[in-house]
Amino acid sequence: MSREIRLNAFEMNCIGHQSPGLWRHPDDRSADYHTLEYWTDLATILERGRFDGLFLADVLGTYDVYGGNADAALRNAIQVPVNDPLMPISAMAAVTRHLGFGVTATLSYEPPFTFARRMSTLDHLTRGRIGWNIVTGYLDSAARGQGRERQTAHDDRYDLAEEYMEVVYRLWEGSWEDDAVLRDKERGIFADPAKIHKVSFEGRHYRVDAIHLCEPSPQRTPVLYQAGSSTKGRAFAARHAECVFVSGPSAGVIAKRVASIRALAAEAGRDPAAIRIFSLATLIPGETDAEASAKLADYRRFVSEEGALVLFSGWTGIDLARFRPDEVVEHVRTEAGHAALENITVADPAKRWTVGEVAAWGGIGGIGPVIAGTPARIADWMEEWIEATGVDGFNLAYALAHRTFSDVADLVVPELTRRGRYKQEYRAGTLRTKLGGPDSGRPGEGHPAAAFRR
Amino acid sequence: MSREIRLNAFEMNCIGHQSPGLWRHPDDRSADYHTLEYWTDLATILERGRFDGLFLADVLGTYDVYGGNADAALRNAIQVPVNDPLMPISAMAAVTRHLGFGVTATLSYEPPFTFARRMSTLDHLTRGRIGWNIVTGYLDSAARGQGRERQTAHDDRYDLAEEYMEVVYRLWEGSWEDDAVLRDKERGIFADPAKIHKVSFEGRHYRVDAIHLCEPSPQRTPVLYQAGSSTKGRAFAARHAECVFVSGPSAGVIAKRVASIRALAAEAGRDPAAIRIFSLATLIPGETDAEASAKLADYRRFVSEEGALVLFSGWTGIDLARFRPDEVVEHVRTEAGHAALENITVADPAKRWTVGEVAAWGGIGGIGPVIAGTPARIADWMEEWIEATGVDGFNLAYALAHRTFSDVADLVVPELTRRGRYKQEYRAGTLRTKLGGPDSGRPGEGHPAAAFRR
């Protein structure tokens, strides 16, 4: 087939995720995020649509920049309450066979020794379908939950992250040799201690002197995801990430980022084409263009503009409550001395965006494009976007849970399949293998994890 | 009915748990501990037997006292490898409706803010069936995994634990008022920020300044389990625990502990009868006594005596590799200046136990009694044991996974039910309610958690 288009579903253990206010829509299920059925139904839908993975975002704090407190976030359920994303995974794994799970964990608040065990356990239980989205945290409110005044400075967080990665690579890759486990019932030998090694590491931030507590899992190192867009973040992603999420409103913006990530990966000695890059989008398919447009218009009626401003304030650090809805964003940016709203305004650079328009625009699917139309129109758009940007596929947000994803599975996926741009069936093997990685399921030779193998 | 007998299953995300070497038996499944089916099948069996709960032990280190290293533990798979016990829970919850899950988490290595979220998430997903076995850790090897020379001194661990409990109680009970969540789609108000409160806590060990990230779950505070047997440990249990596990080889030993726990609870202002106490036992039922005895004899052939000594060395801190198998334990105790083997020798105090006999004796089900016989004989024994000790039920170890538990479910439970000593069906409500707690599912008024409610 022509170059395959890959799909990830973008979700979070909370209400509305990227679509503030839409939990009020009668067809939305996201207010049931705290039930098991919400997650097992979602996983079933995604596997029906042969999605590569479910990507679970996370935060450990509240969006409290807007208005200087979390009141608006709580009133509108803007990513709060937010439950632990790791907990529903085994239930989802039990109702699927192929779907991957890319789960966000903030390394700043997870000791590496126990975190490595957690991931290995999930890799075992899912039979090699686990991924980890490496984040260092971006909300000061999360740091306060952990008893700190504020989060570690941005660049220091990435230094800490580098050391953290070395510790977990050593545990995952270097502690148990491939043939350490014998499971020999006759001789009564489970494992050969000579082939199991303590990780003795003493760094600036972390110390470990112990074996990894888990026997080797199918992938050992989980598939690594990253979404950093800063200079340090991109360098980190180029070194470690196997999947990268990018978001932005125009193909031009995305194309530049994709080129930069692939160039940095090549500089880091990795095959730039082996990195899977997914860009954020929201797809609203309908039988006819008119039906799809009507659907989107219906959804838009439920957007909470206050909720959208809460999100943008959290992402940018600018308290948008300090500005009138009709104020143009250019003023906001100037006054705040911050270019963070650029993402939005490049969607139509000629336009003089107001704060209110930014809110309305970003009220569905965050800062990615929202495409409504027939499956054919959407597939056209997807093919063009991939051509223009060089991404491997899409990280799809939902407008309505689970309606948006089931519409994609049932309408868009068949169209992409007909066009020869989508897998007829899942590839065998681990998530890493399904994503085009080695048949072994292990990180490829150019990846830094491989250096810690024995 | 007469006083109900309650059953818990005692398990661990590892091989063989309390029965070293029995993973080699052809009917044992414990070497499949790393698969999802192992756990979903187990949960299904236990719910068929109307067990109150599945209790999951955990360690974060290796048993490396025996011989001065972890070699024998690794060779015999003695609680290593050991996977994360939290991860399979949602899958088990998805195939059951009533079974409770009591999961061990070592507070020394879990920051309270994220741990509180993890438990709340599981309480939501299980609809109020989660419990937490509070441990402070007992292996120095676990501390070394976390970059410390050794674990915190025993008494200091309990001081830290008291502070930890206050933090998590504040998060679970005090952050969100009962009527904070409105889910009002009409008015677009998810929650009322005026009824959601930051926990601002500054203690010796922990600082938090944040709201709890989860909306109230059915139980809020998970059902609290404890198994501490030291003076500090028993005082802690008397104050916090709703379920207590005790273990010992004779009814006399257990009776004393039970009386002590209930007396301490009364001193702490709690209803002593409200604490559910479970004592360790292993039941091997058969159609006839002869069949049961033959079954047990068959199992004993698979015991790894080295494995048993690894366990005993880890529990007592005495390296039993330094003694010959025919050496009498009295010498060991004298030389090691340690009374920790007392537990075993009181099973038959007149006997001169050798190291080898202790290993053989403890090779099935740890230091609890092992009872083989017809369901009637076993039920007789259970009734007598409860009468003699004052426990509420049993924490059942397995000889073979899952054979031992399915034998109990299919043979012993019907006999207990016939005798009117076992529930005909599960009580409605949360795990706490099923265990005899308040219908609300929340900790009762005498419990320290209740003090942090608004």
Side-chain angles (χ1 to χ4, degrees):
Chain A
M1 73 180 159
S2 319
R3 187 142 155 268
E4 180 179 352
I5 295 176
R6 293 179 174 277
L7 299 183
N8 256 285
F10 193 25
E11 252 277 17
M12 186 164 173
N13 203 339
C14 70
I15 297 167
H17 187 203
Q18 299 267 314
S19 295
L22 271 71
W23 65 277
R24 300 172 298 167
H25 192 287
D27 292 345
D28 183 81
R29 288 186 59 183
S30 72
D32 296 330
Y33 74 100
H34 56 333
T35 68
L36 214 39
E37 297 72 21
Y38 179 86
W39 297 102
T40 51
D41 288 353
L42 174 63
T44 305
I45 290 165
L46 298 179
E47 186 150 294
R48 188 172 85 217
R50 303 191 296 285
F51 279 58
D52 279 308
L54 167 63
F55 174 59
L56 291 164
D58 191 28
V59 291
L60 276 164
T62 53
Y63 283 77
D64 58 3
V65 173
Y66 182 87
N69 59 51
D71 287 3
L74 288 162
R75 207 158 40 233
N76 295 286
I78 303 305
Q79 300 190 5
V80 65
V82 55
N83 282 354
D84 189 306
L86 287 165
M87 295 301 120
I89 288 177
S90 70
M92 291 192 283
V95 297
T96 53
R97 285 183 54 213
H98 297 287
L99 184 69
F101 304 98
V103 63
T104 299
T106 309
L107 53 80
S108 311
Y109 309 126
E110 293 271 354
F113 184 69
T114 40
F115 178 70
R117 185 174 77 141
R118 216 160 257 153
M119 283 288 115
S120 294
T121 303
L122 285 174
D123 201 46
H124 278 297
L125 293 175
T126 62
R127 295 186 194 271
R129 294 190 274 147
I130 199 74
W132 171 31
N133 177 41
I134 310 164
V135 297
T136 61
Y138 61 91
L139 295 174
D140 279 340
S141 59
R144 287 194 297 273
Q146 306 284 351
R148 307 180 195 166
E149 289 292 332
R150 59 183 62 81
Q151 53 184 340
T152 313
H154 181 274
D155 285 6
D156 292 348
R157 291 207 304 277
Y158 277 104
D159 291 343
L160 184 131
E162 281 293 343
E163 195 176 302
Y164 194 100
M165 295 311 295
E166 181 172 344
V167 175
V168 292
Y169 289 151
R170 285 181 184 276
L171 290 164
W172 286 324
E173 301 286 338
S175 185
W176 295 60
E177 295 185 33
D178 284 341
D179 54 354
V181 175
L182 304 172
R183 273 188 163 72
D184 184 337
K185 292 193 173 192
E186 294 306 311
R187 292 192 297 151
I189 302 177
F190 176 77
D192 178 357
K195 297 189 169 171
I196 302 165
H197 308 279
K198 266 197 188 177
V199 172
S200 294
F201 178 86
E202 189 149 353
R204 272 185 60 209
H205 307 282
Y206 300 105
R207 275 174 64 191
V208 175
D209 182 30
I211 66 160
H212 186 41
L213 293 174
C214 307
E215 62 179 297
S217 66
Q219 302 185 115
R220 291 203 181 219
T221 296
V223 173
L224 300 176
Y225 297 71
Q226 232 268 336
S229 56
S230 66
T231 307
K232 279 260 188 180
R234 275 182 292 130
F236 183 88
R239 195 167 136 71
H240 299 281
E242 301 172 279
C243 296
V244 175
F245 294 118
V246 290
S247 52
S250 77
V253 171
I254 298 295
K256 266 185 232 148
R257 293 205 191 143
V258 169
S260 154
I261 291 162
R262 297 213 197 272
L264 285 166
E267 274 175 43
R270 297 177 62 200
D271 173 8
I275 298 181
R276 298 275 160 260
I277 306 182
F278 297 85
S279 75
L280 181 64
T282 306
L283 308 179
I284 313 290
E287 297 291 332
T288 63
D289 285 340
E291 187 201 302
S293 298
K295 214 192 258 189
L296 178 56
D298 173 47
Y299 296 171
R300 286 219 184 271
R301 290 192 305 117
F302 289 86
V303 166
S304 161
E305 295 197 1
E306 184 183 55
L309 293 175
V310 169
L311 279 179
F312 281 109
S313 297
W315 293 335
T316 60
I318 302 170
D319 178 2
L320 294 172
R322 295 193 290 110
F323 302 92
R324 294 187 319 275
D326 62 349
E327 232 164 322
V328 297
V329 166
E330 197 51 50
H331 298 169
V332 177
R333 282 164 53 186
T334 310
E335 188 179 323
H338 201 293
L341 295 174
E342 194 178 11
N343 262 342
I344 302 119
T345 54
V346 292
D348 181 356
K351 182 175 162 65
R352 280 169 60 87
W353 290 79
T354 66
V355 168
E357 284 166 338
V358 164
W361 185 89
I364 290 184
I367 57 169
V370 180
I371 309 299
T374 60
R377 179 179 297 270
I378 287 177
D380 286 347
W381 177 84
M382 292 169 91
E383 292 190 291
E384 284 159 24
W385 182 273
I386 282 188
E387 184 67 27
T389 59
V391 299
D392 298 275
F394 297 89
N395 191 31
L396 296 181
Y398 67 82
L400 298 189
H402 299 326
R403 178 67 188 274
T404 303
F405 293 138
S406 65
D407 281 354
V408 169
D410 299 335
L411 299 171
V412 179
V413 163
E415 176 65 23
L416 291 174
T417 310
R418 253 191 307 277
R419 294 182 182 200
R421 297 298 298 266
Y422 201 79
K423 56 184 161 305
Q424 297 274 354
E425 54 187 39
Y426 281 105
R427 184 169 167 185
T430 66
L431 175 59
R432 179 172 282 115
T433 307
K434 289 184 209 302
L435 288 167
D439 285 338
S440 70
R442 311 276 299 274
E445 276 313 316
H447 192 277
F452 299 100
R453 269 177 219 151
R454 283 172 189 271
Chain B
M1 72 180 160
S2 320
R3 189 142 153 268
E4 180 179 352
I5 295 177
R6 294 178 173 278
L7 299 183
N8 256 285
F10 193 26
E11 253 277 17
M12 188 164 171
N13 203 338
C14 70
I15 297 167
H17 187 204
Q18 300 267 315
S19 296
L22 270 71
W23 65 276
R24 299 172 298 167
H25 191 288
D27 293 344
D28 183 80
R29 287 185 60 183
S30 73
D32 297 331
Y33 74 100
H34 57 332
T35 68
L36 213 39
E37 296 73 20
Y38 179 86
W39 296 103
T40 50
D41 288 353
L42 173 63
T44 305
I45 290 165
L46 298 178
E47 186 150 292
R48 188 171 84 217
R50 302 191 297 286
F51 279 59
D52 279 307
L54 167 64
F55 174 59
L56 291 164
D58 192 28
V59 291
L60 274 165
T62 53
Y63 283 76
D64 58 3
V65 174
Y66 183 87
N69 59 51
D71 287 3
L74 288 162
R75 205 158 42 232
N76 294 287
I78 302 305
Q79 301 191 5
V80 65
V82 55
N83 282 355
D84 189 307
L86 287 166
M87 295 302 119
I89 289 178
S90 70
M92 291 191 282
V95 297
T96 52
R97 284 183 56 214
H98 297 288
L99 184 68
F101 304 97
V103 64
T104 299
T106 310
L107 53 80
S108 310
Y109 310 126
E110 293 271 355
F113 184 69
T114 41
F115 178 68
R117 184 173 78 140
R118 216 160 256 154
M119 284 289 116
S120 294
T121 302
L122 285 174
D123 201 45
H124 278 297
L125 293 175
T126 62
R127 295 187 195 271
R129 293 189 277 147
I130 199 75
W132 170 31
N133 177 41
I134 310 164
V135 296
T136 61
Y138 60 92
L139 295 173
D140 279 340
S141 60
R144 288 195 296 274
Q146 306 283 350
R148 307 180 196 167
E149 288 293 331
R150 61 183 59 80
Q151 52 184 343
T152 312
H154 180 274
D155 285 6
D156 293 349
R157 292 207 303 277
Y158 277 104
D159 291 343
L160 184 131
E162 281 293 341
E163 194 175 305
Y164 194 98
M165 295 312 294
E166 180 172 344
V167 174
V168 292
Y169 288 151
R170 284 180 186 277
L171 290 164
W172 285 324
E173 301 286 337
S175 184
W176 295 60
E177 295 185 34
D178 283 342
D179 55 353
V181 175
L182 303 173
R183 272 189 163 72
D184 184 336
K185 292 195 174 191
E186 293 306 311
R187 292 192 296 152
I189 303 176
F190 176 77
D192 177 358
K195 297 188 169 171
I196 302 164
H197 309 280
K198 267 197 187 176
V199 172
S200 294
F201 178 86
E202 190 149 353
R204 272 185 60 209
H205 306 282
Y206 300 105
R207 276 174 63 190
V208 175
D209 183 29
I211 65 161
H212 186 41
L213 292 173
C214 307
E215 62 179 298
S217 65
Q219 300 185 117
R220 293 206 180 215
T221 296
V223 173
L224 300 176
Y225 297 72
Q226 231 268 335
S229 57
S230 67
T231 307
K232 279 260 188 181
R234 275 182 292 131
F236 183 88
R239 196 168 134 72
H240 300 281
E242 301 172 279
C243 296
V244 175
F245 294 119
V246 290
S247 52
S250 77
V253 172
I254 298 294
K256 267 184 233 147
R257 293 204 193 144
V258 169
S260 155
I261 290 162
R262 298 214 197 269
L264 285 165
E267 275 175 44
R270 298 176 63 200
D271 174 8
I275 298 181
R276 298 275 160 260
I277 306 182
F278 297 86
S279 76
L280 181 64
T282 306
L283 308 180
I284 313 290
E287 297 291 332
T288 63
D289 285 341
E291 187 201 302
S293 297
K295 214 192 258 189
L296 179 56
D298 173 46
Y299 297 172
R300 286 220 184 270
R301 290 192 304 117
F302 290 86
V303 166
S304 161
E305 295 196 3
E306 184 182 56
L309 293 174
V310 169
L311 279 179
F312 281 110
S313 297
W315 292 335
T316 61
I318 302 170
D319 178 4
L320 294 172
R322 295 192 291 109
F323 302 92
R324 294 189 318 277
D326 61 351
E327 232 163 324
V328 295
V329 165
E330 197 51 50
H331 297 169
V332 177
R333 283 164 52 188
T334 310
E335 188 178 322
H338 202 293
L341 295 174
E342 195 178 9
N343 261 342
I344 302 118
T345 54
V346 292
D348 182 356
K351 182 177 162 67
R352 281 169 59 88
W353 290 81
T354 66
V355 168
E357 285 166 337
V358 164
W361 184 88
I364 290 183
I367 55 167
V370 180
I371 309 299
T374 60
R377 179 180 297 270
I378 288 177
D380 286 348
W381 177 85
M382 292 169 91
E383 292 190 291
E384 285 159 25
W385 182 272
I386 282 188
E387 185 66 26
T389 60
V391 300
D392 298 276
F394 297 89
N395 190 32
L396 296 181
Y398 66 82
L400 299 188
H402 300 324
R403 178 68 188 273
T404 304
F405 293 138
S406 64
D407 281 354
V408 170
D410 299 336
L411 299 171
V412 179
V413 163
E415 175 65 23
L416 292 174
T417 310
R418 253 190 306 277
R419 295 182 181 199
R421 296 299 300 264
Y422 201 78
K423 56 184 162 304
Q424 297 275 353
E425 54 185 40
Y426 282 105
R427 184 170 168 184
T430 67
L431 174 59
R432 179 172 282 116
T433 307
K434 288 185 209 302
L435 288 167
D439 286 337
S440 69
R442 310 277 298 276
E445 276 313 317
H447 192 277
F452 299 100
R453 271 177 216 150
R454 284 171 188 272

